[in-house]
């Protein structure tokens, strides 16, 4: 016996356990629940399998495709099951249900990368040197906006943004992430350099419209961040918040530079004005909305 023989046994057609376990894990990532309740324990001693015919069908297709993960994911996300609405009507019981989609908060890495993509600062560079978390290096000025997959991982020393949103630090094996909701996360969304840089990127996109077109800028900000148009009540709240923030910056102009300066990527210049600083705060608020942080 050798490790090669063990590897061949793991992916043997006579041993569907590896394929089933991988399907179960992917299903949890896309739907928020699993075929088997214990994600870290799938076998003869695990709880009963729900919809075993579907699990076996996907496992067989996965193996016959040559373990093609992309093809498997395409089948899942184009299915009618995945494309169901996640709205809950009155009287609908809570918990996972197969007759509707689930509302899931994005994992830590996706939250960071999504913010960068919305702010148009996400680096498209593939491969190459990893980026260091600020606590491991003096700075990450080489390219701080690379995808989270390129972070240099070190057990017990995780980048702050990922740590705040429940990414495991790899001290121990973590089969399932348990998302939490804490005040630290709200503070991170409004004050963390990564998210403030992303908000500045959104504000820079708004400069395509005239400075006085506040309603149009509000609608554009919603389309950029949430991919939809605000309703009248939302538009009013955003404009009220804009006026409040602009008044605060006009009262204390020294804070304008703290909001507008920083970052390493600038496509359009923001003037050191209370108006531009207020639009950065609007973008920051939209980026921190639960609708932005969740997949529905």
């Amino acid at each position: 016996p050798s490790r090669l023989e063990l590897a061949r046994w793991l992916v043997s057609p006579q041993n569907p356990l590896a394929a089933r376990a991988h399907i179960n894990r992917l299903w949890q990532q896309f739907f928020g629940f699993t075929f088997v309740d214990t994600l870290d324990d799938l076998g003869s001693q695990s709880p009963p399998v729900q919809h075993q015919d579907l699990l076996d069908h996907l496992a067989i297709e996965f193996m016959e495709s040559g373990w093609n993960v992309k093809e498997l994911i395409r089948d899942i996300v184009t299915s009618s099951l995945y494309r169901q609405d996640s709205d809950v009507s009155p009287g609908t019981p809570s918990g996972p249900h197969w007759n509707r989609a689930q509302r899931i908060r994005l994992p830590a890495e996706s939250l960071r990368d999504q913010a960068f993509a919305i702010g148009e600062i996400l680096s498209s560079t593939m491969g190459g040197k990893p980026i260091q978390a600020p606590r491991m290096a003096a700075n990450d000025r080489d390219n701080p906006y690379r995808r989270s997959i390129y972070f240099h991982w070190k057990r017990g020393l995780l980048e702050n943004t990922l740590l705040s949103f429940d990414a495991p630090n790899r001290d121990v094996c973590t089969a399932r992430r348990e998302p939490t909701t804490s005040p630290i996360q709200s503070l991170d969304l409004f004050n963390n350099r990564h998210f403030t840089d992303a908000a500045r990127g959104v504000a820079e996109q708004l400069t395509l419209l005239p400075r006085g077109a506040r309603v149009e800028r509000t609608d554009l900000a919603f389309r950029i961040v949430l991919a939809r148009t605000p309703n009248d009540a939302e538009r009013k709240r955003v404009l009220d918040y804009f006026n409040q923030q602009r008044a605060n910056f006009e009262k204390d102009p020294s804070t304008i530079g703290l909001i507008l300066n920083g970052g390493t990527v600038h496509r359009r210049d923001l003037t050191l004005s209370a108006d531009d600083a207020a639009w950065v705060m609007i973008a920051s608020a939209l980026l921190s909305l639960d609708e932005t942080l969740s997949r529905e």
Side-chain angles (χ1 to χ4, degrees), residues 115-122 144-145 189-208 217 221 224-225 249 255-273 275-288:
F116 285 172
I118 291 173
E120 292 189 344
I121 59 176
L122 182 67
Y145 305 121
L189 290 168
F190 273 100
N191 299 289
N192 185 289
R193 179 175 58 84
H194 290 160
F195 291 105
T196 54
D197 286 355
R200 192 180 299 110
V202 174
E204 290 175 4
Q205 296 174 60
L206 301 182
T207 60
L208 293 171
R217 283 194 175 194
I224 292 171
V225 180
F249 286 120
T255 60
I256 295 176
L258 299 177
I259 298 297
L260 296 178
N261 292 332
T264 60
V265 177
H266 296 281
R267 293 160 310 285
R268 307 173 189 93
D269 291 332
L270 293 174
T271 61
L272 287 177
S273 66
D275 267 37
D276 283 350
W279 283 116
V280 174
M281 297 304 295
I282 294 295
S284 181
L286 293 178
L287 287 171
S288 68

Side-chain angles (χ1 to χ4, degrees), residues 21-57:
H22 193 68
I23 298 294
N24 199 44
R25 182 172 299 278
L26 278 178
W27 200 264
Q28 193 274 334
Q29 293 179 14
F30 285 103
F31 290 95
F33 58 93
T34 53
F35 289 95
V36 179
D37 291 338
T38 51
L39 188 64
D40 56 343
D41 182 9
L42 193 157
S44 60
Q45 301 300 312
S46 66
V49 178
Q50 301 182 61
H51 301 280
Q52 184 162 350
D53 289 345
L54 176 58
L55 176 61
D56 291 344
H57 168 75

Side-chain angles (χ1 to χ4, degrees), residues 81-100:
L81 180 62
Y82 180 78
R83 291 183 285 123
Q84 291 181 112
D85 199 338
S86 61
D87 284 347
V88 180
S89 58
T92 302
S94 60
H97 290 275
W98 294 74
N99 61 346
R100 62 177 172 85

Side-chain angles (χ1 to χ4, degrees), residues 149-253:
I149 194 174
Y150 295 113
F151 261 123
H152 176 76
W153 283 82
K154 187 175 182 180
R155 284 189 299 176
L157 197 60
L158 185 63
E159 202 279 327
N160 286 332
T161 307
L162 306 186
L163 188 61
S164 297
F165 286 93
D166 308 310
N169 60 13
R170 299 194 179 185
D171 281 344
V172 294
C173 177
T174 303
R176 182 200 295 265
R177 296 188 188 185
E178 298 296 340
T180 63
T181 302
S182 68
I184 295 296
Q185 294 171 355
S186 296
L187 290 171
D188 219 347
L189 290 168
F190 273 100
N191 299 289
N192 185 289
R193 179 175 58 84
H194 290 160
F195 291 105
T196 54
D197 286 355
R200 192 180 299 110
V202 174
E204 290 175 4
Q205 296 174 60
L206 301 182
T207 60
L208 293 171
L209 296 175
R211 187 181 298 277
R214 293 174 187 167
V215 172
E216 291 78 6
R217 283 194 175 194
T218 299
D219 290 355
L220 178 58
F222 263 75
R223 289 198 297 272
I224 292 171
V225 180
L226 301 174
R228 66 177 179 86
T229 302
N231 58 40
D232 292 339
E234 291 170 330
R235 190 178 291 111
K236 182 180 183 304
R237 293 187 66 180
V238 168
L239 292 174
D240 288 345
Y241 184 60
F242 171 84
N243 292 330
Q244 175 192 342
Q245 291 299 314
R246 186 185 60 172
N248 291 339
F249 286 120
E250 289 175 343
K251 186 181 302 182
D252 186 5

